[in-house]
Every structure is written in C-alpha cells, then in structure tokens.
Amino acid sequence: MEHQPLKSWADSAATLVAVAAGRAPADTVLRGGKVVNVHTREVLDGWQVAISAGRFAYVGPDATHCIGPDTDVIELGGRYLIPGLCDGHMHIESGMLTPAEFASAVIPHGTTTMFTDPHEIANVLGLRGVKLMHDEALIQPISIYTQMPSCAPSAPGLETTGYEIGPDDVAEAMTWPGIIGLGEMMNFPGVVSGSQQMLAEIAATQNAGKTVGGHYASPDLGPDFHAYAAGGPADDHEGTCEADAIARVRQGMRSMMRLGSAWYDVETQITAVTEKGLDSRNFILCTDDCHSGTLVNDGHMNRVVRHAIECGCDPLVALQMATINTATHFELERELGSIAPGRRADLIVTSDLRELPIERVIAQGRTVAEAGEITVTCPHLDWPDDARQTVHLGRELSAADFEIKAPDGVEAVTAKVIGVVENQAPTEALKRKVAVKQGLLEPEGAVCQIALVERHRGTGDVVNALVEGFGYEGNMAMASTVAHDSHHMIVVGTDRAQMALAANRLAEVGGGVTVWKDGEELALVELPIAGLMSDRPAREVAAKADKMVAAMQACGCTLNNAYMQHSLLALVVIPSLRISDLGLVDVTKFELTDLIEETQ
C-alpha cells in the first residue's frame, strides 16, 4: 500500500472526537497490555488504545466503545505499549544508505522519528543535495525531519568543500515543508568571534521559529562556551563527560548524549541524571553516526535506550529521553513522542522494558514491522547521474604522491602525529620521532601514513601526514570517500603503493571504502551516491561493511568500529589534530600547523 501523507490533527479532529466518543469505529484497537505514559512517567496496566486516521483517538481504561465490525483488534497479552523512538540528532549518510534504505533498516528496531542533518551531502552537492535528501525523507512511512546544514565548510579557511552553504541557502530551506531547524553549528569559533555569516544563519532559523542545533567540541567551558550559548544553539551532542552535560543544561540547552557506532558518550554523561539528580527532561538520547553494520546487527535507538538502562538509568526515564524529550525540544510535543490523543500513532509493542525486544512497530497508524521484519515499502527517489559521479581525482595517482619529503641531510625528525582515541571523536596531538631514509619520512611501528586526496574539483592535490592508533601491520592501505565533513578522500596506510591502488580504485567505482593488502583488494563497499551512500538494501551494504571490518582486522586493526575513526580524521572542528586538503590542522588553535616540528 502506498504511503499517504498524514493529515494534521486539526484536519483529523472531527474523526478523532467521533471515535473517542464512540460515534465512529476506530481503525485499530490495542488491548490487554500496559501503556507507558511518558508524560507522567508511569505504566498504566490494562489501558487500551484506539487509532484512527493515523493518530491516537482514545487512550484510556476501556476502548470497547471504539470497536466496530471492521476494527482491527490487537490483543497484547500483557505486553507493553511504548511510544515510537525518536533519534534527536543523526546523519543518514553515516549509515552508508539513502533515506529510504536507512528507514528500512531502522523501522524494525522501533525508530519512528528521526531528526537528520544532511551536512555530509551538502559538502559534496550543496543545497541541491540537501533538497534530494529532504524530498526522499518526506515520502517515507515514518517521520523524518531535516535540519538545514549550517556549516559547509565546517571551518572556513581550513578546508575546501565541493559546495558552500550560506545564509541565503538557510533562509530558502526554512520554507521547505520538512525542515525542522538548523543543523549542528560546528563553527563554534565563528559564533564566539561574532561571525556575521554564522549569526545570520542562526537568525534566519530563529526568525522562522525553528530550532538551532549545536556543536561545541571544545573542552573549554569558560567564556567561549558561554558566548556560544548566547549565540542561540539550543542543544549539543559533543559532550563527553558529566561536566559537559551539566554545563549545557545549566545554560538552557538540551544535552544530547550519543551512542553511535564508535561514539560512546552516554555512560560518562548520564550520571548527571542518575547520580547528580538533574532534571532528566533536559536530556536527549541520539546516535549521531551509525554505519549500516551497526544498524543491521545491533540496532538503532533501541540500542541506545538499552545502553542507557545498563548505565543505571531508570527504564521510564530512558524512554522519555528517546521520545517526549526529543519531541518537546523540537516543539513537536503535541504531534509525536507519546501515546496520547491527537498525536501520530507511533508505538512499539514490547514484552520487556529493559531488554526492549521490538515485537511490533506501528507508525502513523499502520503496522510497519513485526517480529524484526519490515512490512512496508520505503520509496526511493530517482537519484540523478551527477549525484552518482562525484569522485574527480584529475589523474591517476602513484606511490610518489604519498611521499613525505624530509629536509635535506637529516636522519630523523620529530613529527606531529594524529592520535586515534578508541570510541571517541576527539583525537590526540602526539609527537613522535620518525626515521628518514633516502630523503623521505619512513614511519614504523604504530605510526603509519595518512593522506587527504582532493576529489571535488580534480586538482590532483594530495596532502600527507602521520597517524597512530589503528595498529596496522604489513603492506596495506585503506581509502574512503566518506571523510567528514568536506568529504574528499582519506587514505591511511603502511605502504605508499597500496595507498595509490586504494585511491585509484575508489575513483574507478565512484566512491566508497576499500581495503588493500599486498596488492590485493580485501574489501570494497561501493557508495556511488555522492561517494557517501548506496541505494542498495541495508543488509547487502552491511554485509560488505562487515567484510571491510574483517579486512581491517586482517591488517592488524583491533579498534572498535575503526572505520568511523578513519572517516572523521578530516573533521577540522573536533580537537585536537586533523588533516584537510589545505594541510595539517591544529583544532585547539583553529590554524594550520607544520607536520615536522624539529630535525635531528
């Protein structure tokens, strides 16, 4: 059955009133269960729910009067009804999937609402790419709201993107039907310094009555943090410790605590609620970045809720953080996020509030998944050819492109090295002694090479640096056109010839991720749309992603979800040290820095 746009509460009110009063039959009645009320944080044993026109019409002790001859009556057998889960901040592109395939992957896990920031595709295709994501999101059987990306580039002057986003783009997007606000304002130094462009984007969002997303990735909670809060961001997901969470809610912001494929920031922050006793309604759970393997094998927002409970959070509080808190934050409390009259009929049937098995999912009044399997179709856009042809290297690369030349006559250097931190987005700024052979830096042991290959304009430019923490061994290389946020190409390797093979392979297939060892390709995940996404089914993409992870392990990498760490090494708004197409970036100072610190 083709998905029909949901009528507003106002347009449905006459029908909902008639059903609740018993004058008209409901489409669906669920009875014999327990309703979790996230408004009051209580479980209402024996309460029943009637659904009509895709919305909740009656929620009370007895819905018998709502049942007609054609009403679908679902017997719950003592199971719980909880609201459909909401992801308060996430990037669909990080799943390696289009909006349709991402929806198809998360619906069986109970996600019925997502607030997405497509700033990945904005860096590659600009406003047009955002519109394509927005348009496909609107036709899905669940609610997908789009935040207009705020920062492309994320740090002007420190990177070059395929396209740039400005205040006029933001103002235009605010008129689109599915735009819910401004995506994470990553250029926090720009806000703090009073950048006219950043403040104009925030103003355009506020003047449209929409929510401004935040991103303050500095550990400094002094005047700069307060200045950023004064600029208008309403939430932040970059906190990594309890003090970060507390600081944000004390400034009237919502603390968004994330559990993604590689970001484990819930456990270290949720103590603000579980131990310090702060008001939990100001805290929101989200994923930020989840790749397809996590979605298929581990789950989505259900995984985050379970994790929060494992970290000591009361199950009802954790559910509030993934439903009503999120809806309230985006001023949608009267539209979704709870099982209450007039709201979108989004709910989950589960037999356990701690383990959270997702036994049935209803979105906008119809069953969309049952027993872990999706039961509806998620429609696709016809993505245009130019969106599939975005990898432009300008020439074939060779091993020589990945050489790092040393100053004349030296035998070793002290170099700055990007230090990968497991399960964290920030990196360390390390210093290591690196040998010089025949005039070239030859890293050994834990240190290997990293390169940023320009892929938007075909310049043929390659920036080389050093990275530590992956544990790679032997002659290998890994390349990816997913390179947050400018999305050039990141190549990490121990052998320059392998690095050239990997880079050229991605140019050949139009983007994705590839792993090479000893001259052979061990794994390839094709991502032909903007070099970021595939429109193939999630299970198929996840299977290739699993092979990618196995290939990384075969090359010596034992980090949890190291692919996510790889893909963020060019994110020049998160400390401490990153790489861009312009050079090595010291994010603590927001300036370019030299790779070689001293010679020996």
Side-chain angles (χ1 to χ4, degrees), residues 41-121:
R41 199 187 299 162
E42 61 181 335
V43 177
L44 303 170
D45 195 356
W47 273 39
Q48 300 178 8
V49 174
I51 297 170
S52 187
R55 296 180 178 272
F56 295 117
Y58 173 89
V59 182
D62 187 357
T64 303
H65 63 292
C66 304
I67 298 174
D70 296 322
T71 300
D72 180 19
V73 179
I74 300 174
E75 300 290 352
L76 299 173
R79 293 177 293 175
Y80 297 91
L81 292 182
I82 64 175
L85 302 178
C86 306
D87 192 343
H89 173 75
M90 50 87 68
H91 309 284
I92 284 177
E93 303 99 314
S94 293
M96 306 178 178
L97 305 167
T98 58
E101 289 302 331
F102 198 103
S104 181
V106 302
I107 285 171
H109 296 306
T111 299
T112 58
T113 303
M114 297 188 293
F115 297 90
T116 74
D117 179 355
H119 68 215
E120 320 303 350
I121 202 169

Side-chain angles (χ1 to χ4, degrees), residues 94 103-104 168 261 270 300-301 335 367 386 392 396 402 452 457-458 462 465 486-487 504 535 555 577:
S94 293
S104 181
D168 290 343
S261 290
I270 204 166
H300 189 232
M301 282 303 298
E335 183 65 19
T367 297
D386 64 315
H392 310 291
E396 184 172 335
F402 299 95
L452 196 294
R457 295 176 175 82
V462 179
S486 56
H487 295 291
N504 291 328
D535 54 1
C555 294
L577 199 59

Side-chain angles (χ1 to χ4, degrees), residues 281-580:
R281 289 299 298 273
N282 294 309
F283 293 80
I284 291 170
L285 296 174
C286 69
T287 64
D288 198 358
D289 298 294
C290 278
H291 71 65
S292 56
T294 300
L295 300 179
V296 170
N297 300 321
D298 302 326
H300 189 232
M301 282 303 298
N302 57 331
R303 170 177 174 259
V304 187
V305 173
R306 283 196 302 262
H307 177 69
I309 295 169
E310 291 167 358
C311 292
C313 189
D314 180 281
L316 298 188
V317 173
L319 285 172
Q320 285 181 316
M321 292 178 179
T323 57
I324 192 63
N325 292 12
T326 314
T328 300
H329 177 59
F330 289 101
E331 299 185 3
L332 291 171
E333 186 174 346
R334 297 285 290 173
E335 183 65 19
L336 51 84
S338 66
I339 301 175
R343 278 66 169 185
R344 298 186 181 197
D346 300 338
L347 62 80
I348 297 167
V349 178
T350 183
S351 54
D352 191 303
L353 292 184
R354 287 187 172 272
E355 296 300 323
L356 213 63
I358 308 298
E359 292 155 8
R360 182 193 287 259
V361 183
I362 293 176
Q364 299 179 26
R366 63 171 176 163
T367 297
V368 292
E370 198 163 5
E373 297 294 331
I374 191 167
T375 59
V376 293
T377 299
C378 295
H380 287 244
L381 283 185
D382 184 12
W383 288 80
D385 288 343
D386 64 315
R388 297 175 180 271
Q389 299 168 0
T390 63
V391 182
H392 310 291
L393 302 192
R395 60 187 174 87
E396 184 172 335
L397 301 181
S398 68
D401 289 302
F402 299 95
E403 294 176 350
I404 305 177
K405 291 180 171 58
D408 292 340
V410 303
E411 297 181 354
V413 301
T414 298
K416 298 185 180 77
V417 177
I418 302 170
V420 174
V421 181
E422 187 170 26
N423 293 330
Q424 292 287 320
T427 63
E428 294 178 312
L430 306 176
K431 295 179 182 179
R432 295 289 186 261
K433 182 178 179 180
V434 180
V436 174
K437 299 177 183 178
Q438 297 181 336
L440 302 177
L441 268 64
E442 297 289 356
E444 298 175 342
V447 179
C448 58
Q449 289 193 211
I450 180 173
L452 196 294
V453 179
E454 199 282 332
R455 67 113 163 167
H456 296 311
R457 295 176 175 82
T459 63
D461 292 342
V462 179
V463 173
N464 290 290
L466 302 171
V467 66
E468 177 180 310
F470 287 111
Y472 289 134
E473 300 172 346
N475 297 322
M476 60 73 60
M478 175 175 175
S480 170
T481 51
V482 178
H484 303 271
D485 276 335
S486 56
H487 295 291
H488 289 289
M489 182 190 298
I490 295 176
V491 189
V492 173
T494 60
D495 180 83
R496 291 186 283 270
Q498 307 301 307
M499 295 174 76
L501 287 170
N504 291 328
R505 177 62 164 155
L506 293 187
E508 175 188 344
V509 301
V513 189
T514 184
V515 182
W516 287 69
K517 184 176 183 180
D518 297 328
E520 295 185 4
E521 186 175 54
L522 301 186
L524 173 66
V525 184
E526 301 97 331
L527 303 174
I529 298 177
L532 304 173
M533 300 176 290
S534 170
D535 54 1
R536 300 298 300 164
R539 291 186 184 277
E540 182 179 316
V541 178
K544 292 188 176 185
D546 288 344
K547 289 183 179 180
M548 172 193 71
V549 172
M552 295 172 72
Q553 293 171 344
C555 294
C557 182
T558 60
L559 291 181
N560 175 57
N561 277 306
Y563 161 73
M564 298 299 295
Q565 304 285 1
H566 176 108
S567 69
L568 261 73
L569 291 173
L571 185 50
V572 295
V573 290
I574 296 183
S576 292
L577 199 59
R578 304 279 164 169
I579 190 172
S580 86

Side-chain angles (χ1 to χ4, degrees), residues 150-173:
S150 61
C151 300
S154 61
L158 296 179
E159 64 180 355
T160 309
T161 56
Y163 285 84
E164 295 187 5
I165 294 294
D168 290 343
D169 297 316
V170 172
E172 178 183 336

